[in-house]
Structure formats: structure tokens, C-alpha cells
Amino acid sequence: MRVLVAEDNFMLAEALAAALAQSGYLVDVAPDGLAAEHRMRVMIYDLVILDLQLPELSGFDLLTRRRVDQSRVPILILSAHDGLEERIRGLDLGADDFMGKPFEMAELEARMRALLRRGAATARGLLRSGRLAFDLVDRTAAIDGRPLALPMKELAVLELLLLRAGKVVTKQSLFDRIYDPDEETMLNAIELYVSRLRRKLAPAGLRIRTIRGLGYLLEASPA
């Protein structure tokens, strides 16, 4: 799951990103409202954590713009300005939840899971292909009910391949899904994760086919 943290307090943003990364989330940080809006336009996020008092573009204004664009990504407001008026306004503008600062990390993650579970229920939170099942909320995979141990980046590659089942997924799309834009990593690193996944998915009757010049396609193995 990829999460955007829109927060101008550098220390808080970094602490949030580190804690969420420990829980298996891929996290991007935007220090102001315009940066957050840009990231939401160019990247697919599963959830956004939004501060209200952002420079350049406030959280309220960002909410208004994104909902006008009919963006359906769950948004959790995290703000020190958590009076009744701010809560009502934020929720009326389309936020899915509201938490005040200071906060407990355990509660934040529980609320995040609830929002992700709600969205996954709408979008059929369990993906199946052959004998493989992938839980979008818990981000776990299993073959015939037996857990399939996958590192975080392999899980992210598999998740995108399953979400776009039957369609070719470009190497660049996979790269953008699992790496931060500032990470100094070669695009060919994707080939390593795909190679490892191929071996692990073989018992499920699945293969990842390379479509030369285009990308990868997840499909049933030939009999």
C-alpha cells in the first residue's frame, strides 16, 4: 500500500514515514499543499494523511480541489486544529476521517486499516488468480490457503500485477510503485523482483510473461 503524508513539520513527517515504513507501507512525503496536489496527480495512492495548515495550499483547499476532480482516494486529516468547526468542515469537504494532534501511532494505524478495509470492501478486497489469493488490506498472499512469504517490494510488484490482471504492466509502472522518486536505483532492479516472483508463483499455476518492449503480464501457466 502506498501512502502520501502531506505535512509541513519536517520532524513529524519523517517520524510518521519511518513508523509507517516499519509497518510495510510505502510512504511519500509532501511538505506543502501544492506538492501534495502534484503527487496525487502523478502517483496512485491508497491513502492520504493530510495536515490542514499546509503552506502554499491549505488542506481544506486541497480537499476541495481533489473532490471536484472526483478523486476517491481515502483521506485522513491529521491536524492540531481539531475543533468541532474544523472537523465538520473537513468531513463535509470529503475527508474520510479526522484525528487531532497529538496522537497515538497505534490509533492512527488502526484508523488507516479501517479506511483501507472500507475501500477494499468496495473494490473487492481479495484478489484471486489461479490458486493464489491476495488480501489488499492485510497485504498478504497465500496459495491454497498456505501463506506465501514475500518481502515488501515483491508484494508490491505482485499487487500491481494482480490489480491489472490481463493487462501488460510496464517496468516503469512497477518501478514507480515500489521506489521513491529520489531513490538512486536502476530500473533494471525490477527484473530481479520479477525473477524471484516467477519461482514463487509457479506452484500456484501462474507465470509472469515478459512482453518484449512493453512490460510484464501475469497469466496462468500453460498446461
Side-chain angles (χ1 to χ4, degrees), residues 129-132 143-144 198-208 218-223:
S129 184
R131 292 155 51 202
L132 175 76
I143 298 175
D144 293 336
R198 280 188 173 121
R199 294 194 299 271
K200 295 174 182 179
L201 294 179
L206 298 172
R207 72 170 180 174
I208 303 173
L218 181 68
E219 63 183 9
S221 300

Side-chain angles (χ1 to χ4, degrees), residues 55-175:
E56 306 297 338
L57 185 71
S58 76
F60 286 133
D61 290 337
L62 180 58
L63 269 173
T64 301
R65 290 190 186 188
R66 296 309 293 157
R67 292 318 186 196
V68 167
D69 292 341
Q70 296 186 333
S71 170
R72 297 189 179 279
V73 58
I75 295 179
L76 190 160
I77 293 176
L78 185 63
S79 176
H81 298 268
D82 62 340
L84 180 60
E85 182 178 342
E86 287 83 3
R87 287 175 178 269
I88 292 173
R89 185 181 177 192
L91 294 170
D92 280 346
L93 285 174
D96 299 276
D97 200 355
F98 198 124
M99 279 188 68
K101 299 175 183 174
F103 62 95
E104 294 292 337
M105 195 65 204
E107 182 184 359
L108 175 64
E109 290 199 43
R111 288 177 181 247
M112 289 173 61
R113 289 192 296 271
L115 290 178
L116 292 167
R117 191 173 296 112
R118 189 187 310 164
T122 303
R124 291 167 52 190
L126 193 64
L127 299 176
R128 293 187 181 275
S129 184
R131 292 155 51 202
L132 175 76
F134 190 103
D135 189 310
L136 286 169
V137 175
D138 295 333
R139 300 193 75 241
T140 56
I143 298 175
D144 293 336
R146 295 189 297 275
L148 180 62
L150 295 174
M152 184 173 64
K153 285 186 168 55
E154 288 180 33
L155 269 173
V157 170
L158 177 58
E159 180 181 33
L160 189 55
L161 289 171
L162 283 166
L163 284 169
R164 300 185 185 176
K167 300 178 181 178
V168 175
V169 180
T170 66
K171 186 183 293 186
Q172 185 66 54
S173 295
L174 291 169
F175 185 86

